[in-house]
Amino acid sequence: MGYGLSVSLVHPLLSYMARNGYRLDLFREAASFDMKLLQEAEARMREEEFDRLLEEASAFTQDPLLGLHLGQTIELSSLGILGYVLLHCKTIGDALAAYRRYNVILCSGIDIEWETVGQETIIRFNVSDPSRQASRHAVEGMVSSFYHIVLALSCRNIAPIRLHFTHGAPEDGEAYVRLFGIAPVFGRESNLLSVEREMLQVPILFSKGEMFSAFEAYAEEARARLLQGEAFADQVYRWIVRSMPAAFPGVQEAALHFKVSVRTLQANLKREDATYNRLFNKARMEFAVHYLKNPRFTVAEIAYLLQFSEPSAFQSAFKRWTGLPPGRYREMRL
């Protein structure tokens, strides 16, 4: 499943807009964004919601390359504990490994992986959920910020060999050349940035081993705490239960509530070996058991309370769930 992203990533976006003279109160209204969310240090948001915010910011600023420009303003301090871990790695290769392991603390929507082929190290930026079409601003922002941070860590100019994006080409391609030194190729099968393999051995000048150990321990704790959090399937199930019995929400309503597409919701559940129908029926069964414990409800009344088309449909479903007809189940429990 995805773990969303830290709301701390919204701060660089708002700072970038404020520095460029845009009124945040007007943007907040235009984007329908609740600024109170930023007051919760541990709060996280769905990748789709952050993508929407980037699209809104691009429209508000009339900057079609917002992600690219935003990425160049990201500093190590913007990354929180991840930034401090990177700063105290021994080499760029070590920083790359740390980035891959601990980036989930900030964002689980885009992962990185790399391989060395001949004299070239190829770094790929993969959208974690293949069924989700990530915003070009999110992808370009991550690639741009990654490159900017590598330059800062190495204190040298590292020229890319190749730069590929999966999305289409914009009208202005010169901005990429000014930033990366090369023209990217658009419409490719993966987002990637490649450099000379020697880059992995470049030392990070200001690293301190004792500081790395301290910050890595903190990052490891934060990562473990996040990965042990509530599963997405559990969140969906709790929401279904809260909705019942006043409403019996379908998968479309669930997708709307969790701000994802139906396809993404189903993919997230599938990764946890769950389906919406199974969660829905589990909640229905829990309510059925609850009602059967109350003798004032007849089996027929329970069937209609649970929105079955007729009592026989409820009886068949309940027997499938528990192995017993509802009447027999009631006799054994009362």
Side-chain angles (χ1 to χ4, degrees):
M1 63 161 285
Y3 297 91
L5 53 84
S6 169
V7 296
S8 64
L9 290 180
V10 178
H11 288 289
L13 171 62
L14 299 180
S15 297
Y16 172 78
M17 295 178 67
R19 285 197 304 271
N20 284 278
Y22 295 99
R23 288 181 53 182
L24 298 185
D25 58 332
L26 297 180
F27 172 67
R28 177 189 61 200
E29 183 178 349
S32 300
F33 180 70
D34 185 2
M35 292 291 189
K36 292 181 180 178
L37 184 64
L38 301 179
Q39 298 173 8
E40 303 177 32
E42 299 296 323
R44 300 184 74 82
M45 61 194 302
R46 305 288 298 174
E47 289 92 349
E48 291 82 359
E49 177 63 11
F50 186 66
D51 284 355
R52 185 191 70 81
L53 203 60
L54 290 174
E55 294 292 343
E56 293 282 358
S58 174
F60 189 83
T61 61
Q62 297 184 328
D63 181 3
L65 301 179
L66 175 82
L68 192 72
H69 297 146
L70 176 62
Q72 288 301 287
T73 69
I74 301 297
E75 304 296 340
L76 287 167
S77 59
S78 306
L79 305 181
I81 185 60
L82 173 60
Y84 291 109
V85 171
L86 298 179
L87 180 61
H88 294 290
C89 288
K90 289 183 179 180
T91 66
I92 294 297
D94 293 336
L96 203 60
Y99 193 102
R100 179 171 61 181
R101 179 167 181 79
Y102 299 118
N103 183 53
V104 68
I105 298 172
L106 284 179
C107 173
S108 66
I110 301 177
D111 301 322
I112 69 166
E113 61 179 17
W114 73 92
E115 62 177 335
T116 298
V117 180
Q119 299 302 310
E120 185 180 20
T121 294
I122 304 168
I123 305 162
R124 290 186 171 84
F125 301 80
N126 302 320
V127 178
S128 305
D129 180 358
S131 68
R132 183 175 74 88
Q133 181 63 49
S135 163
R136 68 178 298 147
H137 299 299
V139 173
E140 291 187 356
M142 185 165 185
V143 175
S144 174
S145 63
F146 177 85
Y147 181 63
H148 178 67
I149 287 170
V150 167
L151 295 182
L153 289 172
S154 64
C155 295
R156 65 173 67 184
N157 182 31
I158 297 177
I161 299 173
R162 290 187 290 159
L163 178 62
H164 292 178
F165 290 110
T166 59
H167 49 261
E171 293 183 5
D172 178 17
E174 289 301 314
Y176 299 86
V177 177
R178 289 193 297 270
L179 198 161
F180 295 102
I182 60 171
V185 181
F186 294 92
R188 301 306 295 268
E189 62 181 13
S190 62
N191 302 297
L192 67 82
L193 174 74
S194 72
V195 294
E196 296 287 345
R197 66 178 298 169
E198 286 76 14
M199 182 205 76
L200 299 180
Q201 304 306 319
V202 172
I204 296 175
L205 299 182
F206 305 107
S207 66
K208 296 180 180 179
E210 66 277 12
M211 298 299 291
F212 172 79
S213 298
F215 287 125
E216 185 186 40
Y218 185 83
E220 196 64 46
E221 179 183 339
R223 180 178 182 272
R225 189 166 60 246
L226 174 65
L227 299 185
Q228 291 172 2
E230 184 180 35
F232 182 62
D234 292 335
Q235 296 179 46
V236 174
Y237 176 72
R238 285 196 302 106
W239 174 77
I240 294 172
V241 170
R242 287 199 306 269
S243 301
M244 291 181 177
F248 289 75
V251 67
Q252 290 83 4
E253 289 91 341
L256 185 64
H257 174 80
F258 287 97
K259 296 183 173 62
V260 296
S261 67
V262 170
R263 183 179 178 186
T264 296
L265 183 137
Q266 292 172 329
N268 288 343
L269 291 175
K270 184 178 180 180
R271 280 197 293 273
E272 298 179 12
D273 196 28
T275 68
Y276 187 81
N277 281 341
R278 287 208 300 268
L279 295 175
F280 183 85
N281 285 327
K282 178 184 176 183
R284 234 178 179 185
M285 184 187 74
E286 292 292 335
F287 274 92
V289 168
H290 172 73
Y291 287 136
L292 285 169
K293 291 178 180 178
N294 190 334
R296 74 185 183 88
F297 291 115
T298 67
V299 170
E301 288 172 336
I302 294 173
Y304 291 121
L305 283 171
L306 296 178
Q307 294 194 0
F308 282 90
S309 58
E310 54 187 10
S312 61
F314 167 60
Q315 291 171 352
S316 297
F318 193 85
K319 186 174 182 179
R320 187 169 62 251
W321 297 335
T322 66
L324 293 171
R328 178 62 177 154
Y329 184 92
R330 168 175 272 174
E331 291 173 1
M332 294 177 63
R333 294 298 186 274
L334 292 180

